[in-house]
Amino acid sequence: MSARRPPAPLDLRAIEALARKDLGVVVRTPAVLIPLVIVPAIVYVLLPIAMIVAARIGGPMIANELAELERLFASLPDALRTDLERMEPAARMVTLTLGYLIAPLYLVVPLMVASVVAADAFAGEKERGTLEALLHAPLRERDLFLGKLLAAWLPAVAVGLLGTVLYAAIVTVAAWPLVGGAVLPPGVWIPMAIWVGPAVALAGLGATVLISARVETFQEAYQLGGVVVIPIVALVIAQAAGVVVLDARLLTLVGALIWLLDGVLLVVAFRGFSRERLAARL
Amino acid sequence: MTRTRSRVDGRDPAPPETPEPALRIRGLGKDYGGRPALAGLDLDVAPGEIVALLGHNGAGKTTTVRLLNGVLAPDRGEARVLGLDPWTEGTRLRRRTGIATERPSLDPRLSARANLRLYAALYGVPREQEAARIDAVLDRFGLLARAEDRVGAYSKGMTQRLALARCALHEPDLYFLDEPSAGLDPLAARELRGWIADLAAEHGRTVLLCTHDLAEAQRLADRVAVLREGELAAIGTPGELATRYGAARLEVEVPEAQGDAARTALLERGFELAGRAEGEEAIPPATRRLRVAAAGRDRAPDVARAILDAGLSLVRLDPTDASLEDVYLAVYGESQ
């Protein structure tokens, strides 16, 4: 019986060169770069500042807004609800909205970064006619796939983590006079930033790679890849409706499920990523 | 780039004899959607040989190159390229082959140097040699002064030269060149031909040249293979093909007044006249030229004898080596 040949070692230099090149072109392509700058700036900086400013100058009107959050408030754990009840209405609204209600929206950023870069790296390569030379290069399909995957996933994770730190700093500083303490519950934001966010980015990436194999242009891949944002919006709605409340346990479970989904998506995507199939579509 | 060295000297070199061909192809076939794109190719190419692959669009040239470089898996047959199986040993093989595809396949948003740096890493050019190699190929193809410019700002000819620079970056043993002179001006095309000729003649590299430029193939190729609908319709040196397809001819010039008589004399001896007005052309002021078809240099004495025996004067007799265009049209004409 012949021994099974061990897998060839990763060509780290090639993987790094591919990832570096894909990232390099992202910063030179306005159509790709602009959404990567504008959306995080809105989500991580402008949105929290706008909400805190509105809460501070809004005065009594805030109480009416709070009524909209009644179902979320009712579904919170007793200890948390007791803490929140001691707060002024404006402080309570800021804590509920910025700490809990829109927390899942922050997953959109790593998801979007991963999808945009992946659409450019996979479908864009085909659109620009630059794929053929890569297929003729002495590069294993696995290494080509990994290089492109990392080019999209690493910046998505980095933007997600740095953005969350920035968001936490802005919210804490800006809301401190109103709330008198930290607004973001660590049990929600830490697992979201380091566990769920990277998993969501990978899911967006896997979906975009699958879609890219079937479309011809960057725009098509990016637009179709946008469907993966739907579960995140559903999570926001479910939380606002009081169906779920994000906490460390729930996020750990959700993250684990997404990582599992990532595994399936990537296996399927990699199976479709054969030289022969890619060459047949040139 | 080096000066062009024409290989058209009336002699067609035979392929060098070596124990291990650079390319050994047996019954290689590939189907797309149930239709054969390549029906079963048999071809040996010796190291250091330049073989031109001719054929209409869709004749199977690009499919052949993709099969030989391990990008596509064959449906039939086998190939050994530089002693390796392209499909199972593709990664090792591709380190030793260089390709210039029909589309330059360069990222227009990156500089020439950045494009080459990427491929230096992919082809495993040693890091310590990377910068020097990149400068050397950019210099060779006249792009060093524009190395930092975005490729999107390059002209078509410059982009084509950069694609060739990338192809040569890792100093491969075997070059697949698909329409390498497309987009080049005549001077650059001539320099390119010189470079290709030197690859084989001075550096012993093997070249498979896919081209529609028949004059280029005639000047450069040791042998020419014509693909037609996925099949190898003809192969040989340009001279062999000319003889086989009757494309060689003799041009006979006689005094204007003897034109009709010369024509009759040649037809009576069984020669076939070809070209405009059945091979006749008036050459002012006082001679007439007749083209004797399907006649190589070896028939020149017979033609001369036919004219002189008829009591006519022979002003000039030129053997004309067949153009590859004649061969190509003859090969494709067979299928009409």
Side-chain angles (χ1 to χ4, degrees):
Chain A
M1 209 172 78
S2 63
R4 200 172 167 184
R5 204 191 300 176
L10 292 174
D11 185 346
L12 294 176
R13 185 179 172 208
I15 293 170
E16 184 199 330
L18 274 170
R20 205 180 273 276
K21 171 254 175 189
D22 280 344
L23 280 174
V25 293
V26 160
V27 299
R28 290 175 176 81
T29 312
V32 181
L33 186 62
I34 288 169
L36 296 187
V37 172
I38 290 178
V39 176
I42 291 171
V43 169
Y44 290 130
V45 180
L46 297 180
L47 186 64
I49 290 175
M51 292 198 77
I52 291 164
V53 168
R56 289 177 71 172
I57 64 175
M61 288 165 60
I62 294 301
N64 295 332
E65 294 298 323
L66 191 61
E68 300 293 320
L69 302 171
E70 199 53 47
R71 274 182 290 198
L72 168 61
F73 188 64
S75 63
L76 291 173
D78 291 343
L80 180 58
R81 204 167 52 232
T82 310
D83 285 348
L84 288 171
E85 275 170 345
R86 288 198 210 106
M87 291 181 180
E88 292 294 315
R92 199 184 309 162
M93 190 205 79
V94 165
T95 306
L96 272 176
T97 51
L98 296 183
Y100 290 88
L101 184 66
I102 61 171
L105 274 186
Y106 292 84
L107 295 172
V108 169
V109 172
L111 178 73
M112 189 205 65
V113 173
S115 300
V116 170
V117 181
D120 186 72
F122 287 89
E125 201 85 72
K126 199 160 47 175
E127 185 180 0
R128 288 185 296 276
T130 48
L131 186 58
E132 184 160 21
L134 287 178
L135 298 180
H136 279 283
L139 192 64
R140 287 184 174 78
E141 289 154 1
R142 174 201 63 192
D143 296 344
L144 179 58
F145 190 72
L146 269 178
K148 295 203 157 284
L149 216 59
L150 289 177
W153 190 66
L154 290 180
V157 171
V159 170
L161 286 174
L162 291 174
T164 304
V165 170
L166 182 67
Y167 174 79
I170 289 171
V171 168
T172 303
V173 170
W176 195 277
L178 196 67
V179 181
V183 171
L184 305 186
V188 171
W189 284 87
I190 291 174
M192 209 166 68
I194 65 171
W195 176 245
V196 185
V200 165
L202 202 54
L205 191 46
T208 308
V209 174
L210 278 174
I211 291 163
S212 295
R214 288 158 182 78
V215 299
E216 299 300 325
T217 66
F218 158 77
Q219 284 296 345
E220 284 177 276
Y222 176 48
Q223 284 162 7
L224 288 171
V227 296
V228 292
V229 84
I230 291 170
I232 294 175
V233 175
L235 198 57
V236 175
I237 294 169
Q239 201 177 214
V243 177
V244 294
V245 177
L246 292 183
D247 60 17
R249 264 177 59 190
L250 179 67
L251 285 169
T252 305
L253 181 68
V254 167
L257 288 173
I258 299 172
W259 281 112
L260 206 63
L261 172 72
D262 291 344
V264 174
L265 273 175
L266 291 181
V267 167
V268 175
F270 183 62
R271 280 193 183 151
F273 194 77
S274 77
R275 249 194 179 79
E276 174 130 44
R277 281 193 198 185
L278 294 169
R281 292 179 63 89
L282 288 174
Chain B
M1 279 209 267
T2 55
R3 288 171 58 84
T4 301
R5 183 179 59 80
S6 172
R7 297 174 73 96
V8 179
D9 55 7
R11 289 174 289 115
D12 294 302
E17 289 180 12
T18 55
E20 178 72 30
L23 290 168
R24 184 179 171 81
I25 306 166
R26 294 291 177 271
L28 195 65
K30 181 74 185 171
D31 298 338
Y32 288 131
R35 290 185 58 195
L38 194 65
L41 180 65
D42 292 297
L43 179 67
D44 279 359
V45 177
E49 195 181 6
I50 299 177
V51 172
L53 208 53
L54 306 181
H56 285 359
N57 291 328
K61 303 188 298 291
T62 301
T63 299
T64 302
V65 169
R66 287 179 183 166
L67 286 166
L68 295 178
N69 212 24
V71 172
L72 293 176
D75 291 320
R76 293 172 297 284
E78 59 179 8
R80 303 293 289 181
V81 181
L82 302 173
L84 300 167
D85 180 325
W87 189 241
T88 60
E89 298 170 291
T91 307
R92 278 177 65 202
L93 169 65
R94 286 188 290 272
R95 283 190 185 277
R96 297 177 58 198
T97 63
I99 183 159
T101 51
E102 197 171 353
R103 290 177 72 179
S105 207
L106 292 154
D107 199 310
R109 299 168 298 182
L110 295 175
S111 70
R113 189 182 297 283
N115 268 289
L116 294 183
R117 208 179 285 136
L118 167 68
Y119 282 90
L122 299 186
Y123 278 91
V125 172
R127 282 182 197 274
E128 64 277 11
Q129 295 176 19
E130 184 182 297
R133 287 260 195 104
I134 289 172
D135 280 351
V137 291
L138 285 170
D139 189 31
R140 177 168 214 166
F141 287 94
L143 295 168
L144 193 54
R146 303 282 304 270
E148 310 306 330
D149 291 4
R150 275 190 326 109
V151 172
Y154 274 21
S155 68
K156 192 176 176 192
M158 289 168 73
T159 310
Q160 190 68 10
R161 280 187 277 148
L162 182 59
L164 291 163
R166 177 185 58 197
C167 175
L169 185 61
H170 57 295
E171 298 175 351
D173 296 318
L174 169 64
Y175 287 77
F176 296 113
L177 304 178
D178 200 351
E179 297 294 341
S181 58
L184 297 184
D185 59 57
L187 182 63
R190 199 180 82 164
E191 288 178 344
L192 169 73
R193 286 195 293 273
W195 176 70
I196 295 172
D198 286 346
L199 280 178
E202 293 178 14
H203 303 285
R205 312 297 193 203
T206 309
V207 179
L208 190 66
L209 174 71
C210 301
T211 183
H212 288 119
D213 185 337
L214 302 177
E216 182 174 272
Q218 179 136 18
R219 285 185 192 175
L220 281 171
D222 298 310
R223 286 189 300 151
V224 173
V226 184
L227 283 178
R228 189 182 57 201
E229 293 170 5
E231 292 184 359
L232 187 61
I235 181 156
T237 64
E240 287 168 354
L241 292 179
T243 304
R244 197 179 312 157
Y245 286 89
R249 62 176 181 263
L250 292 167
E251 298 209 349
V252 181
E253 218 169 299
V254 296
E256 170 72 41
Q258 296 178 5
D260 291 342
R263 185 168 179 271
T264 305
L266 288 168
L267 291 172
E268 278 176 357
R269 292 283 177 101
F271 289 107
E272 188 186 331
L273 298 181
R276 270 174 278 166
E278 292 186 336
E280 283 187 47
E281 190 180 347
I283 307 294
T287 62
R288 179 170 294 195
R289 183 180 295 170
L290 298 98
R291 293 195 180 90
V292 183
R297 292 166 184 272
D298 55 328
R299 301 298 308 278
D302 300 332
V303 169
R305 204 169 296 124
I307 299 290
L308 297 175
D309 287 354
L312 305 171
S313 304
L314 186 59
V315 177
R316 191 169 162 171
L317 177 58
D318 277 340
T320 302
D321 290 321
S323 79
L324 212 46
E325 186 179 352
D326 297 328
V327 172
Y328 186 83
L329 293 175
V331 169
Y332 268 86
E334 284 181 350
S335 65
Q336 303 301 315

